[in-house]
Amino acid sequence: MNSTRGGLRLSSFDDLPIQFKASLASALLLVCLLALGAHAYLTSTRSAAGLRVLSSELAPKQQAFSDVGGAVIATHMKIFRYVSWASNGVSEKVLKPLEDEIHAELDASSARITALTRRTDLSGEERSALQDLVAKWESCKAQARDTIDVGRTDAPMATMMIGQTDDSFEAVDADLRKMSQALIAKANALQTQLSSDAERNQQVVVWVTLLGLLISVVVAIVIGRSIVRPIRAITDVMQRLSAGEIKVEMDHGVRSDEIGKMADAIDVFRKNIIDKQRVEQTLAEAIEAITEGFSLYDAEDRLVVCNSHYREMFSYGPDTVTPGMSFERIVSSAVGRVVIDGSGDDRAWLAQRLERHRNPAGPHVQHRSDGRWIRVSERLTAVGGVVATYTDITELKSREAELDAAHAQVTALNETLRSDNQRMEGELDVTRRLQMMLLPTLEELQQVDGLEIACHMQAALEVGGDYYDVLQHQGRIKIGIGDVTGHGLESGVVMLMTQAIVRALLTSGESDHVRFLSVLNAALFGNVQRMGSDKNLTLCLLDYAAGEVRVSGQHEQVIVLRRDGAVEMVDTIDLGFPIGLESEIAAFVGQAKVQLQPGDGVVLYTDGVTEAEDMAREQYGLQRLAAVLKAHWAGSAEAIKQAVIADLKRFIGEQTVYDDITLVVAKQT
Amino acid sequence: MRAILLLLFVSLSALGFPAGAAEFGTRDEAVAMVKRVQVMFKAAGAEATFKAVSDKSVAEFHDRDLYPFIYDFAGVNVAHGARPALIGKSLISLKDQEGKFLVRDMLEIAKTQGKGWYDYKWPNPLNNKIEDKSSYVEKMGDYWVGVGVYR
């Protein structure tokens, strides 16, 4: 016994399957019954055999012997009577029938004895005894006949012979009696045996029945203990489980019989319940976490599950939405208390809503009287239910309205812009044409004394922000290069104004480089201010006279190339200030001088050249520009310019050109 | 031949008989009669002897209460001088009133001793009363013969 564990297992006997136990109990009872039956069968068979021997064997045989004995005695008596009558002189007439009778009886007795010997039920002993009897009878019969024969004529002698006849008859009779008695004794013995058998049988039946009863009781107790008690424990566990108690612990896995398996199964069941509760909890939390209203109706249209959003949307007054309620009831209560869609015809709306619910198509939108917009998406589930989400799209709706308004504004603005743009495009085209018109002509360049000049200008947009010019006035040559911030109309206009002011100052004979730049700055600043623009420009001016170049104004570095290809750089950072940015810049203006021998020259450029990018977004750079110039410096200014532009274009490749590109090559002749 | 033999027989018997000496025969006379039967048995053979013994007219074998009786060794009577009804009957089990197996006992005497005397009870042919009798028996070939006296 393992009672300390308090579990289902009581002993190793419990591990045996119940079926085996039941079979064992049945087998034990069957053994008792079989023993009882077999005993009864054997006993009754023996009794029947004994009775049969008694009734059909011993009794008739004994009767036969007894009959023969009786007949023999009767004949003996008749012989005696015959001799007696003969001795007393009874007449022949009376004796003759008696004599015939005796002879007939002797023959009859012979036949009877012969019949006895022919019986098939004789024992060996009886057979030999009968053989003796036959011999005795034959002599007895002979003596009887002799006696009768003698008696017929000699009665006294017959009387004398009666003695021997008596003996032989007595011998025969004794034998027959002996055999008969033997049979009687046998029958008595058989009867005694049968009665004792019956008595013993009675006792055996009583004892075996008691034993069977005892075994039944013991088996019932043992098997009952090993089956009923654990089943009661399991039943208790199951009742507690069904009552919702899941913290039921069971001493399972110890037994290996059906009850052990049952316990295992219940434990699995218990774990499944826990899992199910966990899953349901998770599902409920997940559904609750949805920001929309969620509901699931079963095939009978009864609410299975919903979240608080849904409940809130459909809980009015005392009626709280609870699982099990029908969709119609929930929606009807909503109709009764809150006007939906404001159509006024509640019944028609309800019918339509129910129809939609039963045959969901796409989502639809409800506009509630409290101002909220709810989008309802319903879908049929595989098992015939309906799952639905209710999304509050009030905010979306208001944003949509805002967007509609904004869109209308944009459309209107767009219309305006489109007409403006058409106008501006025309203006820009004019400006570009004006700008190109104002660039120095080829003839002008060729007329410059002492310098061979080649120029290139390419705008990134229709109107560029780069500026260059070559002016000649009363023997003074002025070369300018600049870069207005930005592109487009404004930049183009600033560049045009710059060109006009530079020509005006040159024409007025202004020779002081500080005043020249200060006036230029002041004039341009004023105009830019009037334009309400923030445009300004870097500008570098070169004055050339008799092999000397004077540089002023802040811009890119000026490249000086000697005839032998040597490269020199002139930094312009300290030579000026951006034009049009401040009202007064005189304090910033400086000047640098470069002496040129024949074959020497200067190269001017904007950052559109040095900052041009290739496909790998590498910048062209000052070094590369200087190297290309040096390599081609032996050629004409035009050839040098073309070599640089070709190299630059090769460098840029398919890359977009972001800035205006301007290059001026001036070589001393 | 037969006549001669008969004649001889008769003469022999006449010589040996003291006729009418007393009412009952004596023991000697009984022995003498046995001897005569023996003589005839030897001379005339069994058949003739049996016939003569059983024939009451033959005086030689029938004298007052004396008569011979012949049995074989199975106890079957083959000749009887007083009671012819017994001829052919087996009397080996015959008993007298005292329970004596007289035939068997005399047969035994003849067989074992050749001759001898035996006492028993037997009906007297003269009055048919059962009386005490002493018989003398002798072996005679395959048979035995006896003659008795009543006392």
Side-chain angles (χ1 to χ4, degrees), chain A residues 440-517:
Chain A
T441 62
L442 197 61
E443 291 80 30
E444 277 183 76
L445 295 178
Q446 286 169 352
Q447 284 169 16
V448 175
D449 288 336
L451 287 174
E452 186 192 355
I453 299 172
C455 298
H456 177 84
M457 184 170 174
Q458 183 189 334
L461 281 168
E462 295 90 339
V463 180
D466 277 11
Y467 158 78
Y468 88 90
D469 203 358
V470 177
L471 295 166
Q472 202 167 302
H473 182 72
Q474 295 174 347
R476 291 173 63 193
I477 296 165
K478 200 142 193 120
I479 302 170
I481 188 153
D483 188 356
V484 183
T485 56
H487 313 280
L489 182 62
E490 274 187 34
S491 300
V493 167
V494 171
M495 179 248 179
L496 284 174
M497 289 190 295
T498 303
Q499 194 274 340
I501 295 166
V502 168
R503 182 177 279 276
L505 284 171
L506 185 66
T507 308
S508 71
E510 180 57 66
S511 58
D512 183 63
H513 65 280
V514 175
R515 271 203 306 279
F516 196 102
L517 281 172

Side-chain angles (χ1 to χ4, degrees), chain A residues 64-77 109 112 173 176:
Chain A
F65 284 122
S66 181
D67 286 352
V68 173
V72 166
I73 287 166
T75 310
H76 184 199
M77 294 307 290
S109 289
R112 277 181 155 169
D173 187 41
L176 283 168

Side-chain angles (χ1 to χ4, degrees), chain A residues 139 142-143 145-147 149-151 153-168, chain B residues 80 82-97 101-102 120-123 128 130:
Chain A
S139 99
Q143 284 178 352
R145 289 213 161 117
D146 286 355
T147 306
D149 195 28
V150 169
T153 52
D154 188 352
M157 191 58 225
T159 305
M160 188 73 199
M161 286 170 73
I162 278 292
Q164 69 168 18
T165 314
D166 278 356
D167 282 354
S168 54
Chain B
H80 206 285
R83 300 185 176 277
L86 293 180
I87 297 164
K89 309 279 190 294
S90 170
L91 298 170
I92 189 79
S93 301
L94 192 66
K95 290 193 294 186
D96 68 5
Q97 273 64 30
F101 288 98
L102 53 116
Y120 60 103
K121 292 183 188 305
W122 193 257
N128 270 339
I130 307 291

Side-chain angles (χ1 to χ4, degrees), chain A residues 233-474:
Chain A
I234 285 171
T235 309
D236 178 51
V237 166
M238 285 178 84
Q239 279 171 345
R240 284 160 71 191
L241 272 179
S242 60
E245 192 181 338
I246 56 168
K247 284 177 181 165
V248 182
E249 282 302 327
M250 223 171 357
D251 186 10
H252 56 84
V254 181
R255 295 175 68 117
S256 63
D257 66 345
E258 290 89 341
I259 288 167
K261 285 171 191 162
M262 209 187 284
D264 288 345
I266 287 167
D267 201 44
V268 170
F269 178 64
R270 184 179 67 85
K271 284 175 179 159
N272 283 349
I273 287 175
I274 294 170
D275 285 352
K276 186 167 168 263
Q277 286 184 349
R278 198 174 296 142
V279 167
E280 280 173 355
Q281 179 68 26
T282 309
L283 186 64
E285 284 168 0
I287 288 171
E288 197 53 45
I290 298 172
T291 54
E292 298 156 330
F294 176 88
S295 68
L296 172 64
Y297 287 85
D298 63 15
E300 278 76 45
D301 224 8
R302 305 216 162 262
L303 182 63
V304 177
V305 67
C306 70
N307 62 5
S308 57
H309 296 295
Y310 182 80
R311 213 172 286 125
E312 177 262 318
M313 282 179 198
F314 283 99
S315 290
Y316 311 105
D319 251 3
T320 313
V321 173
T322 48
M325 285 172 89
S326 74
F327 177 78
E328 189 166 358
R329 183 177 160 195
I330 291 168
V331 170
S332 298
S333 77
V335 169
R337 295 172 198 271
V338 177
V339 180
I340 298 172
D341 288 349
S343 62
D345 191 349
D346 290 344
R347 286 176 62 183
W349 179 85
L350 181 62
Q352 191 197 0
R353 180 67 192 92
L354 289 172
E355 175 58 26
R356 262 185 178 151
H357 175 72
R358 277 155 200 158
N359 302 297
H364 66 275
V365 174
Q366 293 175 353
H367 188 195
R368 302 212 174 188
S369 57
D370 62 3
R372 286 203 289 171
W373 288 87
I374 308 291
R375 188 174 63 218
V376 182
S377 296
E378 289 177 314
R379 205 171 302 152
L380 286 172
T381 66
V383 293
V386 177
V387 64
T389 54
Y390 289 72
T391 315
D392 191 332
I393 55 166
T394 310
E395 204 179 333
L396 202 65
K397 277 279 179 188
S398 64
R399 257 189 222 152
E400 206 173 84
E402 283 171 18
L403 275 175
D404 282 351
H407 186 255
Q409 280 183 340
V410 165
T411 307
L413 203 61
N414 217 25
E415 281 301 314
T416 316
L417 279 173
R418 196 178 293 142
S419 58
D420 282 2
N421 207 31
Q422 282 173 348
R423 187 163 46 79
M424 280 178 76
E425 268 178 28
E427 287 172 1
L428 281 169
D429 190 38
V430 169
T431 311
R432 188 173 66 243
R433 279 161 67 188
L434 286 172
Q435 195 177 28
M436 290 314 230
M437 269 184 206
L438 283 170
L439 288 176
T441 62
L442 197 61
E443 291 80 30
E444 277 183 76
L445 295 178
Q446 286 169 352
Q447 284 169 16
V448 175
D449 288 336
L451 287 174
E452 186 192 355
I453 299 172
C455 298
H456 177 84
M457 184 170 174
Q458 183 189 334
L461 281 168
E462 295 90 339
V463 180
D466 277 11
Y467 158 78
Y468 88 90
D469 203 358
V470 177
L471 295 166
Q472 202 167 302
H473 182 72
Q474 295 174 347

